[in-house]
Each structure stands twice: as structure tokens, then as C-alpha cells.
Amino acid sequence: MTDIECVSDARAQLGEGTYWDPATEALWWIDIYQKAIHRFDPLTRKTETHIAPELLGCLAVRASGGLILTMASGFYFFDPTTGRFDKITDPEADLPDNRFNDGKTDRQGRFWSGSMFEAPGKPVVKNASLYRMDADLSVHRIVDGIGCSNGLAWSPDSRTMYYTDSHGPVVWAWDFDPATGEVENRRTFFDLSETKGIVDGSTVDAEGCYWATIPFQGKVLRFDPAGKLMRTIELPTDLPTCCEFGGRDLNTLYVTTAIYNRTPEQLAGQRNPGGLFALDVGVKGLPLVPFQG
């Protein structure tokens, strides 16, 4: 059995954006709808929280200090010491019904974030995209025609990129050029149509296997590099949202969860919904690279 512990009973509306910082041995994560940036210290079990001015997307540590992140209106730098947010750019300023969502750094230190359509009451439009920000702060649209960006991760050798549109059951793989950050040859990595599942946040372990959170089904799944399901972990709450390896030896899988749009009846019987969980999965992860810009 997998050892599963709630390390922060945060009651997050929508926990996301897990990023382990090995330099400080702390986990950064966000609550999108509470506009909260959390820094969890596993040693003290304490959480430091900063409130953002907008809905959040994702974040990463900067090599020069502070964080880079996306909010509803684009890319920003954030200094946790001063609380200052400095806007970099908004590549979707002409799309007011979109906001930024899932992302992280690749192994070369470029920062990626994808957008999503979010306009309650309006028909869904697949006009969102996945963007790459290079160290010179230039932004490049890499994938378009997306409803909800999620599932971003790279193989250990940086030759494969994984990504999904959570409005469907398919996770794609691309050939990835680590030197340029360009992709080609999109194909299906795996398809959850039979189980009616979708993928939210994801990561890759040191063995090259892909870990995916499956919201509404309360599961974390592990797939081998060929897309074969290797393992299923059942969580005590039904909305896992993002995952990343952390801990001093990168042997703890941290998983965020959510209570967004869940009724008291739906949450009845669940343990620590909206909490931050630590899983001992018997596998080590890979360190995330700070943004180089």
C-alpha cells in the first residue's frame, strides 16, 4: 500500500502549481481561486502564504531570485520578500475569456504556461494555447486550439514533451528539441476514453514514467514511457489536481487537491478535501530547473 499523508489541511478551492525548490527544501504551490501562493516547509510543517491580485496559473523559482508566474492576465515576476508583482507580458490580451493555467520549467530553464477558456455561461471555445518563455523573456506560442492546458512534463532526456487538453481524454507526446524548445510529431501517448478520465497536473519520475492526477475520480496514475498504465493510487478525496516530486531525496510525491464546486454531500466521507498530500510511492523524481531569465 502507498503511504498517503495530508501535510496541510488547506481546504484549497483549487490547489495547483506544485514546484519543489531544492535550494530551500520547500514546496511552492498555489490555490487558483483563493489567489494564494503557498510555500510549505516540510521540516517545520508551516506554510507561508502570499495573496496575488488575480487568479493564478502556475509558478517557478527564478535562478536570480524570486518567482516567475502566470496570472489571469499573463506572465509576471514576483518577489516574496517585498510582495511586489512585476508584469512581463500578456500574449492573450485580446482574449478576455481566457486565463493562464498549468505550466512549469523545462530542463533547460525555460518557463512554460498554457492558457484555458473560462467564461461560465458561454459556449466553450478552444482558443487557448501553450506558451514558452525563453531566458530573454521572449514568448512563443507552441500549441494552439486548446480548451484547458494541463499535463505538461518532459522525459528525463528532454527528448519528449507531454501535454493535454483537459477538455478531452487524450495525453499527447511530441518530439522535443532541448536546444531550441521546439516540438514536432504530435501523437497519442495514452487515451482515457474507456474510463471517462481526464488528466490535470502531471510530472515524470527518474525512471521516465509519467504521473498524472485524475480529477473527479480521486486517482493518481503512473504510465511507463510507452504509455502503458503501471500503477493506480486511490486518494482519500476525489479532486486531485497537480503533482510533483519533492523532499531532500526527491522521493515524496506531493499532490494538491480541490473542493471547487463540490457540495457538502459530495465532500461527506472524504478525508482532507482541498489538502496538500505527501505520498511515499517508492520512486524518486527529477529536480525542476529554475527559470533562467
Side-chain angles (χ1 to χ4, degrees), residues 5 7 13 38-39 49 55 59 64 68 71 99 104 108-109 111 120 156 178 188 210 218 231 233-234 258 262 270 283:
E5 179 187 6
V7 293
Q13 283 292 309
H38 298 302
R39 180 185 179 275
T49 300
L55 299 182
L59 55 76
S64 59
I68 184 171
M71 294 193 288
R99 70 166 174 83
K104 63 182 67 178
Q108 292 70 45
F111 182 58
T188 296
Y210 181 89
R231 186 174 178 183
I233 298 174
E234 303 276 353
R262 312 311 274 163
Q270 296 191 30
V283 180

Side-chain angles (χ1 to χ4, degrees), residues 7-293:
V7 293
S8 177
D9 189 16
R11 300 287 297 183
Q13 283 292 309
L14 183 52
E16 284 281 5
T18 44
Y19 188 102
W20 176 259
D21 180 11
T24 61
E25 297 187 351
L27 182 81
W28 291 94
W29 64 285
I30 61 176
D31 183 342
I32 291 176
Y33 291 126
Q34 296 286 357
K35 304 177 185 177
I37 301 169
H38 298 302
R39 180 185 179 275
F40 172 71
D41 185 334
L43 185 62
T44 64
R45 295 296 187 99
K46 293 182 178 180
T47 297
E48 166 193 316
T49 300
H50 306 269
I51 301 302
E54 300 178 7
L55 299 182
L56 292 153
C58 61
L59 55 76
V61 171
R62 292 180 69 193
S64 59
L67 305 178
I68 184 171
L69 51 81
T70 49
M71 294 193 288
S73 64
F75 291 75
Y76 288 77
F77 290 136
F78 172 58
D79 184 345
T81 303
T82 64
R84 178 174 172 175
F85 293 86
D86 290 310
K87 189 168 186 175
I88 307 169
T89 187
D90 183 2
E92 295 195 348
D94 60 331
L95 299 173
D97 290 332
N98 284 11
R99 70 166 174 83
F100 277 87
N101 198 50
D102 182 66
K104 63 182 67 178
T105 50
D106 62 24
R107 306 196 193 290
Q108 292 70 45
R110 294 171 289 239
F111 182 58
W112 297 66
S113 185
S115 59
M116 63 175 287
F117 178 84
E118 187 172 67
K122 293 185 179 181
V124 173
V125 178
K126 290 200 170 190
N127 62 354
S129 300
L130 175 66
Y131 298 88
R132 185 193 77 230
M133 176 170 280
D134 294 343
D136 63 1
L137 307 187
S138 61
V139 177
H140 310 269
R141 181 184 284 111
I142 304 301
V143 185
D144 58 16
I146 299 298
C148 179
S149 295
N150 265 315
L152 189 64
W154 287 267
S155 61
D157 64 2
S158 292
R159 295 295 178 182
T160 304
M161 185 184 84
Y162 306 102
Y163 176 65
T164 189
D165 180 348
S166 289
H167 288 176
V170 175
V171 173
W172 302 297
W174 279 263
D175 294 336
F176 183 77
D177 186 335
T180 65
E182 298 297 324
V183 300
E184 62 180 2
N185 186 28
R186 184 172 87 167
R187 64 241 182 225
T188 296
F189 179 43
F190 62 83
D191 187 333
L192 296 179
S193 295
E194 289 188 7
T195 60
K196 299 181 179 179
I198 60 171
V199 169
D200 203 327
S202 304
T203 191
V204 167
D205 64 32
E207 298 176 6
C209 293
Y210 181 89
W211 293 78
T213 52
I214 313 298
F216 308 107
Q217 298 185 3
K219 297 176 182 178
V220 178
L221 305 181
R222 186 191 190 217
F223 295 84
D224 73 7
K228 178 183 177 182
L229 179 62
M230 303 293 291
R231 186 174 178 183
T232 299
I233 298 174
E234 303 276 353
L235 293 176
T237 185
D238 73 341
L239 274 181
T241 52
C242 196
C243 60
E244 191 55 70
F245 285 92
R248 181 166 295 176
D249 298 319
L250 294 177
N251 58 1
T252 298
L253 184 68
Y254 286 101
V255 179
T256 54
T257 63
I259 60 173
Y260 180 63
N261 278 346
R262 312 311 274 163
T263 66
E265 292 75 20
Q266 289 171 320
L267 294 175
Q270 296 191 30
R271 179 165 63 87
N272 304 114
L276 173 67
F277 290 84
L279 282 59
D280 182 0
V281 295
V283 180
K284 290 188 176 184
L286 295 164
L288 295 176
V289 177
F291 176 57
Q292 298 302 297

